[in-house]
Amino acid sequence: MICSLRNLARTGACVFAFGAFGRALPDPAPAEAPVATPVAESAPTDAAAVAPAAAEAPLTERRVYDLWAEHEYQSMIVPYKASAFADPKWDEQVDELFRISGKNFALRAAHSDRQVELVKGLVAAGCKDPLVASMAIGYQLGSNAPKTKLGRAIEDSEELLETLRTNNYSKIRQWRIAVFILSQKNSIGETRSQLAAASSLCEDTLVAAASEPGLSPMAERLILDKFKFDLDSSVSCYSRAVCDKISASSASAWMKGSLLGEYHLKEAWKRRGTGWAGEVNDAGWKGFASELAESHDGFLAAYQADPSRPEPPSQLIRVVAASHDFPNETEAMWFDRAVKAQFDHANAYLARRWFLRPRWGGSHEEMLRLAEGWAASKRFDTRVPEMYLWTLDDICEDRGEYESIWQQPGVLATVEAIRDGYLAQKDPYFNTILSRIAHMFWLAGKRAEAKDLVDRLSDGFVPGAGSAVRVYQNEFGAVHAYAPAIRATALAADEAADLNNFDKAVTLLTEAKAAHADLPESAAKAVDRAIELFKFRKQFASREWASILLGSSPEAFFESSQSRGAWVISNDSIKLAAKNSWWGDLRFIPKVGKRYELRSRIVAPADGQSEKCQAGFMIYHNVGSNNPYWQSVMAAPLMKTWSTGVCWDTDDSKPMESGNPVDLLVKVWDDEVVIRIDGNVVYAGSAVRPDRVAPLRDQLGFCALDHDPASAPVEFREPAVRLLQARPSELGKIERPVRRPRDEEEIKPRF
């Protein structure tokens, strides 16, 4: 995401990529795998300190999270016990709630069912503790809450904030409630001046938390983590005034420098913008350089104040890679310093990998060579060897495919060694890593190895771990969630389906499920999904129209970047009913190849609130795990127009004769496409616009734009897909437009 100018002087050339204005050259001498011993940190000195003996443990990411969780627990339970809210009737339940909440807060995890159960029970019993009450407010809101309910939540939270202050509760907790209040005020659309007052409250409570006397180094790291999380959120919590407030505070030099460094790094990209380099004006470049310099000063001051903490040097990797003002500093240098402070600090490895990508002047070979050193560290008590797996994912994402990597010499052998190392730990903490490896084996065609690993993990297998390598739950065939009793049969069913013997595959799974009535619910559902998928594949392979609304739970075959419930999927239609949705995307997970036709009737809301609403299909170009690129084909029935686009960028609308509803049909043949609206051909030609170089991929999806949440849903009725037998004849009837290739800077994807 961040680029380098240093090589401009060296090469006289610049490659524009991913929102960057240059690329980082590989370091003159790429660092070998770090072998530094983690530095143990002294015990916190504040009231929330953990037992001193605990601090003697090696400082790893896992240990950091444990210390954060303990800090949060203590910061809640100590003031509770000293308050008038404590009562033997519920002390035990409060203690359990605060322990769970502290852990989830440290991990940024969603609340658990047990948390909700405890909160409901405490409120019903009459517990008036303000932290319990604040949790109840958050749990009760849910998603898509009406403005009246949000307004009450704001008023109640403001009262609770005052209660926290008067009862000497943790200043970190006061800060987090202030951030919650701001987010809810933003949701109900308060005025700019009202939001400015709420933002000022966030700044003041942040500074109070960061300046609390006796704050431990571990607590400072926790505050920095939450501050960075706020900066990355869609709600602007802090104005530029926060810099002056931080600078004037009594916070430690490390705390001040780290907070200022993070703020200015975020501001640098705001000043520059995240579009193509050609879109950035002189003021943008000047602001970018100025903010990066401020960020560098902050992080450097923090590092000099305390080199034993990894966050400043980790972020300096990004700053140095983005600026040409620090020629004596390299990404490798700051990486080495970060891992010396904490051997497994994930952000350092992420940044180091990122800036070795080809778009930054590195190469996949360099990435793999460095990652091989991380795997060879054999530090299986940490997640460092796992960074090799993430590097494989990075390379696959760059390539836009997840198949060829397994053919490279040594890759599978290294993955097997990583598997063996984590298995030897016999620690459930690493089950997610091992589950990802099982998915990788399956993706590499090593199904027996995948099955064996899932068997060994047993109930510890994590089905969702495969999404990182684009292996989805209902694609995982013989491995995903199947109970050992039928896993061998499921493997045979997959093999039959690979030979297009779908009837045999369905029969095998149907009989296996009938013979094992005691299957766990997750396994039974996985079998049902596999059966429906095999039926779909049979119908599609026979070149018949096949509905993409599969089985009794069609939603299981789709994914979206929107919140749960945004899309309502039934057996005959797909509806977008999302609140505040300017862009809705829904992806059909099963692969359909590159030669198919897709049809559906699109019905737009006719209540006058969504006149500009557009809806249609997405044709995938590249489905990298973080950066999917697609071409859209959309119709605006009420406006009587249609358009195409790439990602969120749409072309100028073109008129159509149709009204509402619209029958949309798209034929895809390799890199060509035919668009029909109500039977009329409106386009036939290239499917891949010249500003995207990624090849057409084999997935499809649905999208909608400018849909007012107060109106009725956008509806896609009876969507179906059919395998094409021959190149569409329409492609020969309409002359394909001649398009001028664009400069290299413009064909790179937008960040």
Side-chain angles (χ1 to χ4, degrees), residues 257-316:
S258 297
L259 291 173
L260 292 171
E262 290 290 355
Y263 182 86
H264 288 296
L265 181 57
K266 190 70 176 181
E267 282 299 300
W269 286 98
K270 284 185 180 179
R271 297 282 296 276
R272 180 203 177 279
T274 54
W276 288 321
E279 299 172 350
V280 183
N281 57 29
D282 290 342
W285 289 128
K286 186 177 294 185
F288 187 60
S290 174
E291 295 290 348
L292 284 178
E294 294 277 5
S295 179
H296 180 272
D297 289 348
F299 285 130
L300 184 61
Y303 173 76
Q304 291 172 339
D306 186 356
S308 71
R309 288 184 259 182
E311 289 86 357
S314 292
Q315 291 298 70
L316 280 166

Side-chain angles (χ1 to χ4, degrees), residues 218-232:
M218 194 56 62
E220 288 185 332
R221 292 181 64 180
L222 177 61
I223 290 172
L224 180 64
D225 180 75
K226 301 309 171 188
F227 179 68
K228 187 175 184 297
F229 179 81
D230 292 344
L231 292 177
D232 290 338

Side-chain angles (χ1 to χ4, degrees), residues 182 195-206 237-239 241 245:
L182 172 62
L195 291 177
S199 176
S200 181
L201 178 63
C202 290
E203 295 163 4
D204 293 341
T205 52
L206 161 66
C237 298
Y238 311 99
S239 71
K245 294 179 181 180

Side-chain angles (χ1 to χ4, degrees), residues 425-732:
Q425 294 294 307
K426 298 180 180 179
D427 187 343
Y429 181 78
F430 300 112
N431 282 354
T432 300
I433 300 175
L434 290 165
S435 299
R436 288 185 63 227
I437 292 174
H439 286 81
M440 286 180 161
F441 282 150
W442 182 87
L443 198 60
K446 301 290 185 179
R447 294 186 175 177
E449 288 86 345
K451 171 183 175 296
D452 176 70
L453 184 50
V454 174
D455 281 338
R456 296 181 69 171
L457 290 172
S458 187
D459 292 339
F461 175 64
V462 182
S467 60
V469 287
R470 314 306 290 176
V471 180
Y472 298 96
Q473 291 184 6
N474 58 324
E475 280 187 319
F476 201 3
V479 176
H480 166 67
Y482 287 163
I486 64 166
R487 198 168 291 138
T489 303
L491 179 61
D494 268 16
E495 292 172 347
D498 288 345
L499 298 173
N500 290 332
N501 193 342
F502 300 109
D503 289 337
K504 179 180 179 181
V506 169
T507 299
L508 284 170
L509 288 184
T510 302
E511 292 178 350
K513 184 181 177 184
H516 298 278
D518 58 344
L519 282 178
E521 182 181 3
S522 60
K525 288 182 177 180
V527 172
D528 291 339
R529 286 195 295 269
I531 290 172
E532 293 300 333
L533 185 59
F534 291 149
K535 290 179 179 178
F536 166 78
R537 290 175 59 187
K538 176 186 177 182
Q539 189 171 4
F540 182 67
S542 67
R543 295 183 170 85
E544 299 176 10
W545 280 107
S547 171
I548 61 173
L549 303 175
L550 312 184
S552 59
S553 300
E555 69 279 357
F557 296 89
F558 292 88
E559 69 167 4
S560 173
S561 62
Q562 292 179 281
S563 61
R564 185 178 300 178
W567 292 89
V568 179
I569 305 171
S570 65
N571 291 114
D572 59 3
S573 72
I574 298 171
K575 298 177 182 178
L576 173 63
K579 178 180 180 180
N580 298 330
S581 174
W582 69 276
W583 175 272
D585 64 296
L586 183 71
R587 297 176 285 281
F588 184 55
I589 295 171
K591 298 177 180 179
V592 294
K594 302 176 183 178
R595 296 181 175 183
Y596 64 88
E597 53 185 329
L598 172 65
R599 71 182 184 190
S600 181
R601 171 163 290 189
I602 299 174
V603 184
D607 57 3
Q609 299 185 67
S610 293
E611 293 183 357
K612 297 182 180 180
C613 178
Q614 305 175 62
F617 305 148
M618 294 192 294
I619 304 168
Y620 276 85
H621 294 234
N622 180 319
V623 286
S625 61
N626 295 316
N627 307 296
Y629 318 130
W630 64 85
Q631 177 167 326
S632 62
V633 178
M634 295 191 293
L638 300 179
M639 299 292 290
K640 292 190 175 182
T641 61
W642 68 278
S643 64
T644 59
V646 171
C647 293
W648 294 276
D649 299 330
T650 57
D651 295 329
D652 293 335
S653 297
K654 294 164 276 291
M656 66 182 184
E657 298 179 1
S658 305
N660 192 23
V662 166
D663 288 326
L664 183 61
L665 183 144
V666 173
K667 298 181 181 182
V668 175
W669 184 268
D670 296 334
D671 64 345
E672 297 176 295
V673 64
V674 176
I675 304 172
R676 283 183 175 270
I677 297 178
D678 286 341
N680 300 313
V681 177
V682 297
Y683 178 81
S686 173
V688 180
R689 284 187 3 180
D691 56 355
R692 289 296 182 271
V693 295
L696 190 70
R697 300 298 290 166
D698 47 8
Q699 283 185 295
L700 54 85
F702 299 84
C703 55
L705 192 63
D706 294 328
H707 171 234
D708 190 316
S711 65
V714 180
E715 185 175 8
F716 299 85
R717 294 179 182 171
E718 299 180 347
V721 65
R722 180 168 66 176
L723 184 66
L724 287 176
Q725 301 183 55
R727 181 173 178 268
S729 59
E730 297 94 331
L731 291 169

